[in-house]
Amino acid sequence: DAGVIQSPRHEVTEMGQEVTLRCKPISGHNSLFWYRQTMMRGLELLIYFNNNVPIDDSGMPEDRFSAKMPNASFSTLKIQPSEPRDSAVYFCASTEGSFTEAFFGQGTRLTVV
Amino acid sequence: DAKTTQPPSMDCAEGRAANLPCNHSTISGNEYVYWYRQIHSQGPQYIIHGLKNNETNEMASLIITEDRKSSTLILPHATLRDTAVYYCIVRVANTGNQFYFGTGTSLTVIP
């Protein structure tokens, strides 16, 4: 298995533009997580899905952020409109069960100018 | 809510054992202790996890105190490639699969 795949690896966009980050979890995994990492705040859990259903989105910073998981093999994190303070590395992770380890993707480095 | 406390940084000589401590004094009886590490600019990597017994795998050993209020991750023979930030995480049980990361320990392995 290729592991958790995120795209794009790098994204540079102008303030006000819509940004969509994509994640393909490991096949057979039933939970998916989106994290954001910055120097100031470290790794923050934004939202997680279980069996494609959003379970906890309390970490989503504001209404500009939205996440979807239309099927077991694909998830998106959208920011609209983007702002410079959204600049960060966004990680996606997936797990197979309740107490198994999470596997992380390589992240998307987002820069909003 | 990270629920764990770790020293911000540590050094270790190459070839020596690296012992990384973690306090989790409010851990519940059915919560596991997980360790991850993050090498610069990469995604976090799973190392090991345990409930109450000591655990060992090809990467490391995990020692959990009898009262489960603290644990130690041991890298038996540290190499330069072990330089990373190490996160100790207490996994929330029953209500879901969240992994909450704290600030971690930045380990530097010195030649």
Side-chain angles (χ1 to χ4, degrees):
Chain A
D1 198 311
V4 176
I5 300 173
Q6 293 186 243
S7 64
R9 291 294 308 278
H10 303 274
E11 176 81 30
V12 179
T13 190
E14 292 185 347
M15 182 174 62
Q17 297 298 306
E18 176 183 300
V19 175
T20 299
L21 311 181
R22 297 173 176 80
C23 175
K24 176 178 168 54
I26 293 174
S27 178
H29 283 193
N30 63 353
S31 294
L32 183 141
F33 310 79
W34 282 100
Y35 287 87
R36 176 174 68 176
Q37 186 171 34
T38 61
M39 287 293 292
M40 291 292 293
R41 302 175 67 89
L43 266 166
E44 301 175 276
L45 177 64
L46 301 178
I47 185 171
Y48 87 94
F49 295 83
N50 196 38
N51 294 321
N52 311 336
V53 176
I55 303 300
D56 184 357
D57 65 354
S58 60
M60 296 285 265
E62 49 196 273
D63 292 344
R64 297 184 298 106
F65 285 68
S66 63
K68 294 182 179 179
M69 192 165 185
N71 55 63
S73 59
F74 184 66
S75 177
T76 60
L77 178 68
K78 183 180 293 186
I79 307 172
Q80 180 185 23
S82 58
E83 297 182 2
R85 60 191 169 124
D86 301 330
S87 297
V89 180
Y90 291 81
F91 288 104
C92 175
S94 68
T95 70
E96 183 177 4
S98 297
F99 288 100
T100 58
E101 63 269 28
F103 292 85
F104 282 76
Q106 289 301 300
T108 295
R109 181 174 296 277
L110 173 65
T111 303
V112 183
V113 298
Chain B
D1 182 8
K3 302 180 66 173
T4 62
T5 304
Q6 299 176 253
S9 63
M10 291 181 61
D11 293 338
C12 178
E14 187 178 18
R16 304 297 291 269
N19 297 286
L20 293 96
C22 179
N23 288 321
H24 31 79
S25 58
T26 62
I27 192 170
S28 299
N30 58 354
E31 289 181 318
Y32 286 72
V33 179
Y34 283 76
W35 282 84
Y36 279 76
R37 73 179 183 184
Q38 187 174 25
I39 298 171
H40 180 62
S41 78
Q42 297 182 18
Q45 176 191 23
Y46 166 80
I47 300 173
I48 199 168
H49 74 283
L51 182 62
K52 60 177 75 173
N53 297 322
N54 298 336
E55 302 289 342
T56 296
N57 63 20
E58 65 278 6
M59 289 183 67
S61 295
L62 173 60
I63 308 298
I64 302 175
T65 58
E66 191 169 342
D67 64 7
R68 304 213 319 126
K69 292 184 177 182
S70 65
S71 61
T72 301
L73 178 75
I74 301 173
L75 307 178
H77 305 287
T79 71
L80 299 180
R81 289 175 295 180
D82 292 322
T83 293
V85 177
Y86 288 77
Y87 296 97
C88 169
I89 301 162
V90 169
R91 185 85 178 275
V92 177
N94 298 327
T95 57
N97 299 334
Q98 302 98 321
F99 285 91
Y100 290 104
F101 287 78
T103 54
T105 295
S106 177
L107 175 70
T108 301
V109 180
I110 302 170

